[in-house]
Amino acid sequence: MMYRAVGLGTRSRGLKPWVTVLLVVLSLAVVAVTIGLLAHFLVSGQKTEYYHGTFKILDARINSNSGQNGIYQLKDLKEMSEKLVDDIFIDSALNKHYIKNRVVRLTPEDDGVKADVIMVFQFPFAEQRAVRKKKIHSILNQKMRNTRALSINASSVQVNAMSSSTGKLTVQACCGKRIAPLIVNRIMSGDIAAKAAWPWQASLQRDNVHQCGATLISNTWLVTAAHCFKTNANPRQWTVSFGTTIDPPLMKRNVKRIILHERYHTPAREYDIAVVQFSPRVIFTDDIRRVCLPEASASFQPNSTVYITGFGALYYGGKSQNNLQEARLKIISDDVCKQPHVYGNDIKFGMFCAGYLEGTYDACRGDSGGPLVIKDLKDTWYLIGIVSWGDNCGQKNKPGVYTMVTYYRNWIVSKTGL
Ligand code: ARG
């Protein structure tokens, strides 16, 4: 009764319930729009934009022994290029908008070195990207013409806008990180690898049949063993697949170039290293990602724990596996591995042994070219060995022998710029 009376009373004073509802909805909408506009002006008033630039550094070569005219160490050339781009924009009309740059790649070419640089700016949201792109290009082009720091072909300068998602990814493109937790052991009597556990593992296939392993070191380059191409080094017959199964593959690519170490000659086993370029490049995901390469000067202690992965046979004479296998090994010192009852003088420079003298875990046929990796304290993974050779598989006193990546680190730079 009471309730009804109040209701009637309200109605009789003129505000119908639907009007009240409408008013509430309207005022809520006004508040929402105000908050939205405020947020827009405050937060995204400045928008981070990424631009991809390329330019050619003339008469430059990358080499380990720098010092000679025009010959640089990769690290130095990268630093010099980044400093140059910094200087150019800090001393330009875009000074207030320029944030930073990262040289993400240096590619050796016939007449010099091509540099790929990601430039980061912050702009208010007005102007169009095409206009900005032009501005950035003209500043780079003009100032590179006049620079004395490096000799640059100004007409080689190109600039393109990048989406912020790829920009961010490329600027912080990290190596040697994986999302899967490490649970290993139990290749030769190893375990099946978890999805995304070894995202740098690739399978090299000739006429679509798995032949060798390989390791992703950039979005277009792999490292593998030279002996994989003993019978056929024609890139057109090779493809590369990613993922923890051969079939179905997570992704497949065509091989564009196969570069064998020029001093690799069968039947010798020295210089068992090759780099392979595929196309189109891959986009890194949790499942496909590059490993880190150690510095040439890095060294690794005997007895350190390392891991090998591959699609190779489970026993000598067996066949390749569809599921990626993994095994935990120990680095074996040269002193131990060069004993006469182990491999004696067959262990040459640029090789090292890993596994167990009692046998058990080992690589086997089909694992060749694949990675032997080590983890640092920050859980970053480094490629330190390439599956190369061994007597039989998993035999007593016959551990696996690996190409030492640090020994060939400068060779890898000279071919890939990485
Ligand atoms: N050379 C073999 C291949 O082509 C793999 C050698 C590794 N052998 C070993 N016992 N660790 O796949």
Side-chain angles (χ1 to χ4, degrees):
M1 190 65 136
M2 179 71 164
Y3 172 72
R4 225 180 141 212
V6 170
L8 274 173
T10 316
R11 204 182 279 172
S12 62
R13 252 173 252 133
L15 266 189
K16 301 208 167 104
W18 68 266
V19 178
T20 320
V21 169
L22 193 72
L23 278 175
V24 168
V25 168
L26 271 177
S27 41
L28 276 181
V30 169
V31 169
V33 168
T34 319
I35 290 177
L37 279 176
L38 263 177
H40 185 71
F41 278 104
L42 290 178
V43 179
S44 63
Q46 291 284 320
K47 211 170 135 246
T48 306
E49 292 183 3
Y50 295 83
Y51 292 83
H52 175 199
T54 58
F55 54 88
K56 176 80 77 65
I57 307 165
L58 293 171
D59 307 321
R61 277 198 297 133
I62 301 170
N63 210 312
S64 43
N65 347 298
S66 55
Q68 272 168 277
N69 227 350
I71 303 188
Y72 301 93
Q73 284 207 4
L74 181 74
K75 187 160 107 282
D76 298 340
L77 199 56
K78 183 171 176 307
E79 243 162 59
M80 289 170 78
S81 313
E82 286 179 350
K83 183 172 181 309
L84 173 68
V85 176
D86 269 348
D87 290 348
I88 286 179
F89 285 107
I90 288 169
D91 182 33
S92 81
L94 290 181
N95 172 30
K96 276 210 201 82
H97 303 288
Y98 175 71
I99 307 292
K100 65 172 176 186
N101 84 86
R102 208 38 94 245
V103 169
V104 289
R105 192 168 26 238
L106 290 169
T107 317
E109 291 186 344
D110 294 338
D111 50 343
V113 174
K114 188 182 114 195
D116 280 271
V117 58
I118 310 292
M119 296 162 286
V120 188
F121 293 88
Q122 223 155 48
F123 289 114
F125 46 86
E127 225 173 337
Q128 294 218 321
R129 292 203 80 181
V131 179
R132 291 207 186 106
K133 190 184 103 173
K134 262 206 186 136
K135 217 182 261 173
I136 294 169
H137 179 265
S138 93
I139 290 175
L140 269 182
N141 183 299
Q142 215 171 51
K143 303 220 170 181
M144 284 196 162
R145 209 178 286 278
N146 302 325
T147 182
R148 275 181 301 155
L150 286 166
S151 138
I152 286 167
N153 176 358
S155 58
S156 72
V157 177
Q158 281 181 20
V159 175
N160 278 302
M162 265 183 127
S163 79
S164 51
S165 53
T166 9
K168 244 181 245 157
L169 267 178
T170 328
V171 168
Q172 32 183 257
C174 55
C175 63
K177 287 293 184 188
R178 57 183 238 175
I179 52 149
L182 180 62
I183 345 162
V184 169
N185 236 20
R186 207 217 28 120
I187 305 197
M188 170 105 188
S189 64
D191 262 347
I192 290 183
K195 187 181 169 297
W198 313 100
W200 39 82
Q201 172 83 47
S203 152
L204 272 172
Q205 307 176 1
R206 194 178 67 229
D207 300 325
N208 290 312
V209 179
H210 171 85
Q211 304 288 332
C212 267
T215 310
L216 198 59
I217 55 167
S218 81
N219 58 4
T220 168
W221 285 102
L222 299 161
V223 177
T224 186
H227 82 255
C228 296
F229 306 102
K230 226 175 342 194
T231 55
N232 185 327
N234 176 0
R236 266 178 292 213
Q237 256 143 43
W238 290 84
T239 51
V240 49
S241 86
F242 299 94
T244 39
T245 55
I246 302 266
D247 186 23
L250 188 60
M251 192 172 301
K252 264 197 125 151
R253 289 292 188 255
N254 291 318
V255 169
K256 212 165 69 180
R257 268 204 288 179
I258 298 173
I259 306 177
L260 309 185
H261 197 292
E262 34 290 272
R263 302 179 75 170
Y264 173 77
H265 298 294
T266 36
R269 289 145 159 180
E270 295 94 321
Y271 306 104
D272 193 8
I273 186 168
V275 286
V276 171
Q277 191 172 33
F278 59 83
S279 87
R281 59 188 52 175
V282 290
I283 307 266
F284 294 141
T285 62
D286 288 345
D287 302 277
I288 303 179
R289 205 170 275 190
R290 70 188 172 106
V291 77
C292 302
L293 289 170
E295 301 266 336
S297 57
S299 64
F300 304 93
Q301 295 307 312
N303 231 18
S304 305
T305 300
V306 294
Y307 297 83
I308 56 169
T309 46
F311 296 98
L314 300 183
Y315 52 90
Y316 190 64
K319 56 180 182 8
S320 291
Q321 297 297 299
N322 192 47
N323 289 298
L324 184 63
Q325 307 282 127
E326 63 189 17
R328 177 168 50 212
L329 307 182
K330 298 269 184 202
I331 295 180
I332 297 174
S333 72
D334 267 10
D335 285 351
V336 170
C337 210
K338 284 182 172 171
Q339 292 175 99
H341 65 283
V342 186
Y343 285 125
N345 290 329
D346 289 348
I347 303 301
K348 304 277 178 21
F349 57 86
M351 299 178 182
F352 71 95
C353 303
Y356 303 93
L357 291 190
E358 46 286 22
T360 64
Y361 304 121
D362 190 10
C364 202
R365 187 163 166 204
D367 290 322
S368 279
L372 179 149
V373 291
I374 194 164
K375 184 170 65 114
D376 74 0
L377 297 171
K378 291 191 217 138
D379 282 347
T380 303
W381 293 82
Y382 288 84
L383 179 72
I384 67 171
I386 301 165
V387 178
S388 179
W389 62 276
D391 263 10
N392 207 303
C393 303
Q395 293 298 296
K396 193 165 171 255
N397 290 327
K398 303 294 168 193
V401 185
Y402 297 80
T403 304
M404 191 188 291
V405 172
T406 51
Y407 188 87
Y408 294 103
R409 184 66 186 86
N410 294 320
W411 180 83
I412 297 174
V413 173
S414 69
K415 300 299 168 185
T416 66
L418 295 164

